[in-house]
Amino acid sequence: YNQPIKENQCWRILKDMNNYLGLNNYGGIGVHSLRKTGAYFMFKETNDIDFVRRMLGHRSNQEVYAYIY
């Protein structure tokens, strides 16, 4: 307990969720979708584009804006 999940566990959870919700025919929700959503809400909460840029490892704020919007 109290351990990060492993990559294969994450994929399995997302696969099961997509199957349960019937999203497979629509591309489903993947790790990249979660990353973009997390970045979007991180920016909305902090309003600090530099912080979000550093967290994502992007080179410019323009990249981050394009990524989250």
Side-chain angles (χ1 to χ4, degrees):
Y1 297 116
N2 204 18
Q3 297 280 333
I5 65 172
K6 297 189 182 331
E7 185 177 349
N8 63 336
Q9 290 172 302
C10 181
W11 283 108
R12 190 177 67 244
I13 291 166
L14 289 173
K15 179 183 169 199
D16 291 348
M17 181 191 69
N18 286 322
N19 285 336
Y20 179 78
L21 297 174
L23 298 176
N24 290 327
N25 293 336
Y26 305 100
I29 296 171
V31 177
H32 192 247
S33 298
L34 296 177
R35 176 179 156 93
K36 289 179 78 165
T37 302
Y40 172 80
F41 283 106
M42 188 183 316
F43 176 67
K44 292 302 244 182
E45 183 69 27
T46 65
N47 204 33
D48 186 348
I49 197 69
D50 287 320
F51 173 73
V52 177
R53 179 185 52 77
R54 288 190 308 274
M55 292 296 293
L56 293 173
H58 286 194
R59 293 183 179 161
S60 72
N61 291 346
Q62 290 76 20
E63 275 185 48
V64 177
Y65 283 121
Y67 191 75
I68 64 175
Y69 288 114

